[in-house]
Amino acid sequence: MKSNYKFWFIIGSQHLYGPEVLKEVAEHGKTMVGAFNADDAIPFEVMSKGVVTTPDEITAVMKAANADDDCAGVITWMHTFSPSKMWITGLSLLNKPYLHINTQFNRNIPYDSIDMNFMNTNQSAHGDREHGFITARLRMKRKVICGYWEDKAMRERMGSWMRSAVGAVFSRSLKVMRLGDNMRYVAVTEGDKIGAEKTFGWSVNTYGVGGFAEKVKAVTESEVAAKLKEYEEKYVMDTDNLESVKYQARLEVALDQMITEGGFKAYTDTFEDLYDLKQLPGLASQNIMGKGIGFGAEGDWKTAALEAVMSEMSLGLTKGLSFIEDYTYEFGDGKAAVLGAHMLEISPAIAADKPKIQVHDLGIGGKDAPARLVFEGKTGPAILVTIIDMGGRFRMIVHDVDTIKPEKTMPNLPVACVMWQPKPDMITGNEAWITCGGTHHSVVSYDLSAENMKDFAEIMGIECVHIGADTKLDDLKLKLAMGDVIWDK
Ligand code: MN
């Protein structure tokens, strides 16, 4: 996978053991880094930064990590014993995501030959405890992973954390374009944009819908034709109303220009503020989302930003993610489920089959009937994720669900949809989400796990509530009450 993200692998030691031991430690580190980079379970490049043995070396490497925009995280490991007062200044300065792995070069104890030389060289069980103490003492945000470095399970956990770290680093430079304000009177899409920039790094700013409309008018016929060709290649043209499809092409070309010019990775619009645009962007926003740009409807900039972050975390993964909204329930015995959809904007990245372009009335907003992609979502395990503003702080909610194929086709449903059964069951799952204050908008991902999102939340320093197979409502309420004590500062 092509990506600039790099993870710095730093081995801690000291001079007490002599140069021969340090040389052996460095060789082991190089072997490990080579093996990590040859394994698909490790999704981003690991860079060997050698063995550090003095406070000055440690401080220098942490400063360099901070200064390198491509560095998405620091991974430390104590092959031997590295007295941790040497690390205080460096770790205190570090502002990159931080993983401490607790492993050792040899899998087995060499029972027949083990002596004190071996013990001195291979003592990470010992050295990693000294290191863990100082990071605990410094109250560092960190992840600790123990396991044998050649084991798949260990590497997969490292890879999973690396995705969370990439999300965090990406988040800190994310720019979000708002076209129009939030939908009138809606509470859950509101939030503190200064707080969001401080916490997540999201720069959320408004751009005039009139300016967008002018750009739409300036789109050329050849630009429309090229976009139309792209639509015809990717989707099934299931409408005679080509004019409506062409207008979406026009909207998309103009949106693309604004996104590129502004360096945005997410945007919002709202059906209540369309100036003299003829249609709400539907197909246009869907096709843009399919390329990894975050989108939030009705001015929902938090979900737009979250979708962009989760998209970056999913680099190289192919099952997909999308903006989604809980719409309506099936309460039948044994088949209870939630039908998720939106009035237009679901990403084709999660389509089970080739999406169809259709044109239907929107029903609200008083504009022309917009072209949109209609499809059913993929099936299988997935997560729903949202971030809400609790006033002075943010809460992330992650819900494990099973997406399923709807029992029957819905020939009159004019939008894309996904159906899911919430964990631990329909009633408890929905009660839990609503008790947490979970939004109707969220991001559905088939690639990421609850652990990815928990690690991201820990790096960003926010509360994360996970609703899964083990969730019990009484425990959840206690967690939320404890969360208020911990997070309402
Ligand atoms: Mn909505």
Short mmCIF file of all heavy atoms in Angstrom, two decimals, residues 153-182:
data_model
loop_
_atom_site.label_atom_id
_atom_site.label_comp_id
_atom_site.label_asym_id
_atom_site.label_seq_id
_atom_site.Cartn_x
_atom_site.Cartn_y
_atom_site.Cartn_z
N ALA A 153 -1.06 -12.88 15.71
CA ALA A 153 -1.98 -12.14 16.59
C ALA A 153 -1.33 -10.85 17.08
O ALA A 153 -1.97 -9.79 17.12
CB ALA A 153 -2.39 -13.02 17.77
N MET A 154 -0.05 -10.94 17.46
CA MET A 154 0.68 -9.76 17.94
C MET A 154 0.79 -8.71 16.83
O MET A 154 0.55 -7.52 17.03
CB MET A 154 2.06 -10.21 18.39
CG MET A 154 3.12 -9.13 18.45
SD MET A 154 3.14 -8.34 20.05
CE MET A 154 4.56 -7.27 19.92
N ARG A 155 1.14 -9.16 15.64
CA ARG A 155 1.31 -8.23 14.52
C ARG A 155 -0.02 -7.61 14.13
O ARG A 155 -0.07 -6.43 13.76
CB ARG A 155 1.96 -8.94 13.33
CG ARG A 155 3.41 -9.29 13.63
CD ARG A 155 4.08 -9.87 12.42
NE ARG A 155 5.45 -10.26 12.72
CZ ARG A 155 6.26 -10.83 11.85
NH1 ARG A 155 5.84 -11.09 10.62
NH2 ARG A 155 7.49 -11.15 12.18
N GLU A 156 -1.08 -8.39 14.18
CA GLU A 156 -2.39 -7.82 13.83
C GLU A 156 -2.80 -6.75 14.84
O GLU A 156 -3.40 -5.74 14.48
CB GLU A 156 -3.44 -8.93 13.75
CG GLU A 156 -3.35 -9.68 12.43
CD GLU A 156 -4.27 -10.86 12.32
OE1 GLU A 156 -4.90 -11.23 13.34
OE2 GLU A 156 -4.35 -11.44 11.23
N ARG A 157 -2.47 -6.96 16.10
CA ARG A 157 -2.81 -5.94 17.10
C ARG A 157 -1.96 -4.70 16.89
O ARG A 157 -2.44 -3.58 17.03
CB ARG A 157 -2.64 -6.51 18.51
CG ARG A 157 -3.69 -7.59 18.81
CD ARG A 157 -3.62 -8.03 20.24
NE ARG A 157 -4.06 -6.96 21.12
CZ ARG A 157 -3.59 -6.77 22.36
NH1 ARG A 157 -2.67 -7.58 22.84
NH2 ARG A 157 -4.04 -5.79 23.10
N MET A 158 -0.69 -4.89 16.55
CA MET A 158 0.16 -3.74 16.22
C MET A 158 -0.42 -2.99 15.02
O MET A 158 -0.52 -1.76 15.02
CB MET A 158 1.58 -4.19 15.88
CG MET A 158 2.45 -4.53 17.08
SD MET A 158 4.08 -5.16 16.56
CE MET A 158 4.78 -3.71 15.76
N GLY A 159 -0.80 -3.76 14.00
CA GLY A 159 -1.35 -3.15 12.78
C GLY A 159 -2.63 -2.38 13.06
O GLY A 159 -2.84 -1.28 12.54
N SER A 160 -3.46 -2.95 13.90
CA SER A 160 -4.72 -2.29 14.27
C SER A 160 -4.44 -0.95 14.96
O SER A 160 -5.03 0.08 14.64
CB SER A 160 -5.51 -3.22 15.19
OG SER A 160 -6.55 -2.54 15.82
N TRP A 161 -3.49 -0.96 15.91
CA TRP A 161 -3.15 0.29 16.61
C TRP A 161 -2.55 1.31 15.64
O TRP A 161 -2.82 2.51 15.74
CB TRP A 161 -2.15 0.01 17.75
CG TRP A 161 -1.73 1.29 18.40
CD1 TRP A 161 -2.38 1.96 19.39
CD2 TRP A 161 -0.57 2.09 18.06
NE1 TRP A 161 -1.70 3.13 19.70
CE2 TRP A 161 -0.59 3.23 18.90
CE3 TRP A 161 0.46 1.94 17.14
CZ2 TRP A 161 0.40 4.22 18.83
CZ3 TRP A 161 1.44 2.93 17.07
CH2 TRP A 161 1.41 4.06 17.92
N MET A 162 -1.76 0.83 14.69
CA MET A 162 -1.16 1.75 13.71
C MET A 162 -2.25 2.48 12.93
O MET A 162 -2.11 3.67 12.62
CB MET A 162 -0.22 0.99 12.76
CG MET A 162 1.07 0.54 13.45
SD MET A 162 1.92 -0.77 12.54
CE MET A 162 3.02 0.17 11.53
N ARG A 163 -3.32 1.79 12.62
CA ARG A 163 -4.44 2.45 11.93
C ARG A 163 -5.04 3.56 12.81
O ARG A 163 -5.36 4.64 12.32
CB ARG A 163 -5.51 1.43 11.55
CG ARG A 163 -5.05 0.46 10.49
CD ARG A 163 -6.17 -0.39 9.90
NE ARG A 163 -5.62 -1.21 8.82
CZ ARG A 163 -5.38 -0.77 7.59
NH1 ARG A 163 -5.70 0.48 7.26
NH2 ARG A 163 -4.86 -1.54 6.68
N SER A 164 -5.18 3.28 14.10
CA SER A 164 -5.72 4.29 15.01
C SER A 164 -4.79 5.50 15.07
O SER A 164 -5.23 6.65 15.09
CB SER A 164 -5.90 3.71 16.42
OG SER A 164 -6.64 2.50 16.34
N ALA A 165 -3.49 5.22 15.10
CA ALA A 165 -2.50 6.30 15.16
C ALA A 165 -2.55 7.15 13.89
O ALA A 165 -2.48 8.38 13.95
CB ALA A 165 -1.10 5.71 15.35
N VAL A 166 -2.69 6.49 12.74
CA VAL A 166 -2.81 7.23 11.48
C VAL A 166 -4.06 8.11 11.51
O VAL A 166 -4.03 9.27 11.10
CB VAL A 166 -2.84 6.23 10.28
CG1 VAL A 166 -3.44 6.88 9.04
CG2 VAL A 166 -1.42 5.74 9.99
N GLY A 167 -5.15 7.57 12.05
CA GLY A 167 -6.37 8.38 12.20
C GLY A 167 -6.11 9.62 13.04
O GLY A 167 -6.55 10.72 12.71
N ALA A 168 -5.35 9.46 14.11
CA ALA A 168 -5.08 10.58 15.02
C ALA A 168 -4.21 11.64 14.34
O ALA A 168 -4.50 12.84 14.43
CB ALA A 168 -4.38 10.06 16.28
N VAL A 169 -3.17 11.20 13.65
CA VAL A 169 -2.27 12.14 12.98
C VAL A 169 -3.00 12.87 11.85
O VAL A 169 -2.88 14.09 11.67
CB VAL A 169 -1.01 11.39 12.48
CG1 VAL A 169 -0.20 12.25 11.54
CG2 VAL A 169 -0.16 10.97 13.67
N PHE A 170 -3.79 12.12 11.10
CA PHE A 170 -4.59 12.72 10.02
C PHE A 170 -5.60 13.72 10.59
O PHE A 170 -5.78 14.82 10.07
CB PHE A 170 -5.32 11.59 9.27
CG PHE A 170 -6.35 12.05 8.28
CD1 PHE A 170 -5.96 12.42 7.00
CD2 PHE A 170 -7.69 12.12 8.62
CE1 PHE A 170 -6.91 12.84 6.07
CE2 PHE A 170 -8.64 12.54 7.72
CZ PHE A 170 -8.25 12.90 6.43
N SER A 171 -6.25 13.32 11.68
CA SER A 171 -7.26 14.15 12.32
C SER A 171 -6.71 15.54 12.66
O SER A 171 -7.39 16.55 12.50
CB SER A 171 -7.75 13.45 13.59
OG SER A 171 -8.71 14.19 14.26
N ARG A 172 -5.46 15.57 13.09
CA ARG A 172 -4.88 16.83 13.58
C ARG A 172 -4.63 17.84 12.45
O ARG A 172 -4.31 18.99 12.72
CB ARG A 172 -3.58 16.54 14.34
CG ARG A 172 -3.86 15.92 15.70
CD ARG A 172 -2.61 15.43 16.39
NE ARG A 172 -2.95 14.76 17.66
CZ ARG A 172 -2.14 13.93 18.29
NH1 ARG A 172 -0.95 13.67 17.80
NH2 ARG A 172 -2.52 13.37 19.43
N SER A 173 -4.78 17.40 11.20
CA SER A 173 -4.62 18.38 10.11
C SER A 173 -5.86 18.44 9.22
O SER A 173 -5.81 18.95 8.11
CB SER A 173 -3.39 18.00 9.27
OG SER A 173 -3.61 16.75 8.66
N LEU A 174 -6.97 17.92 9.72
CA LEU A 174 -8.18 17.81 8.90
C LEU A 174 -8.91 19.16 8.77
O LEU A 174 -9.17 19.83 9.75
CB LEU A 174 -9.13 16.77 9.53
CG LEU A 174 -10.50 16.59 8.89
CD1 LEU A 174 -10.40 16.17 7.43
CD2 LEU A 174 -11.33 15.57 9.67
N LYS A 175 -9.22 19.51 7.52
CA LYS A 175 -10.02 20.72 7.25
C LYS A 175 -11.40 20.30 6.73
O LYS A 175 -11.49 19.46 5.83
CB LYS A 175 -9.33 21.58 6.18
CG LYS A 175 -7.98 22.12 6.59
CD LYS A 175 -7.55 23.19 5.58
CE LYS A 175 -6.14 23.66 5.85
NZ LYS A 175 -5.16 23.01 4.97
N VAL A 176 -12.43 20.89 7.31
CA VAL A 176 -13.81 20.55 6.95
C VAL A 176 -14.48 21.79 6.36
O VAL A 176 -14.46 22.86 6.96
CB VAL A 176 -14.60 20.07 8.18
CG1 VAL A 176 -16.01 19.65 7.77
CG2 VAL A 176 -13.88 18.91 8.88
N MET A 177 -15.09 21.62 5.18
CA MET A 177 -15.83 22.72 4.53
C MET A 177 -17.31 22.60 4.84
O MET A 177 -17.91 21.56 4.58
CB MET A 177 -15.60 22.65 3.01
CG MET A 177 -16.48 23.61 2.23
SD MET A 177 -16.10 23.63 0.45
CE MET A 177 -16.80 22.08 -0.09
N ARG A 178 -17.88 23.67 5.37
CA ARG A 178 -19.33 23.69 5.61
C ARG A 178 -20.01 24.56 4.57
O ARG A 178 -19.68 25.73 4.43
CB ARG A 178 -19.65 24.27 6.99
CG ARG A 178 -19.04 23.54 8.15
CD ARG A 178 -19.34 24.29 9.44
NE ARG A 178 -20.72 24.10 9.86
CZ ARG A 178 -21.47 25.03 10.42
NH1 ARG A 178 -21.02 26.24 10.61
NH2 ARG A 178 -22.70 24.76 10.80
N LEU A 179 -20.94 23.98 3.85
CA LEU A 179 -21.78 24.76 2.94
C LEU A 179 -23.14 24.89 3.62
O LEU A 179 -23.93 23.96 3.64
CB LEU A 179 -21.92 24.05 1.59
CG LEU A 179 -20.61 23.93 0.79
CD1 LEU A 179 -20.80 22.99 -0.39
CD2 LEU A 179 -20.16 25.31 0.30
N GLY A 180 -23.38 26.05 4.22
CA GLY A 180 -24.62 26.22 4.98
C GLY A 180 -24.46 25.75 6.41
O GLY A 180 -23.50 25.04 6.74
N ASP A 181 -25.37 26.15 7.25
CA ASP A 181 -25.30 25.84 8.69
C ASP A 181 -25.95 24.49 8.97
O ASP A 181 -26.34 23.77 8.05
CB ASP A 181 -26.03 26.97 9.46
CG ASP A 181 -25.54 27.09 10.90
OD1 ASP A 181 -24.97 26.12 11.42
OD2 ASP A 181 -25.74 28.16 11.49
N ASN A 182 -26.06 24.16 10.24
CA ASN A 182 -26.76 22.94 10.61
C ASN A 182 -28.25 23.09 10.33
O ASN A 182 -28.76 24.19 10.28
CB ASN A 182 -26.58 22.67 12.11
CG ASN A 182 -25.13 22.51 12.48
OD1 ASN A 182 -24.38 23.48 12.42
ND2 ASN A 182 -24.73 21.32 12.83
#
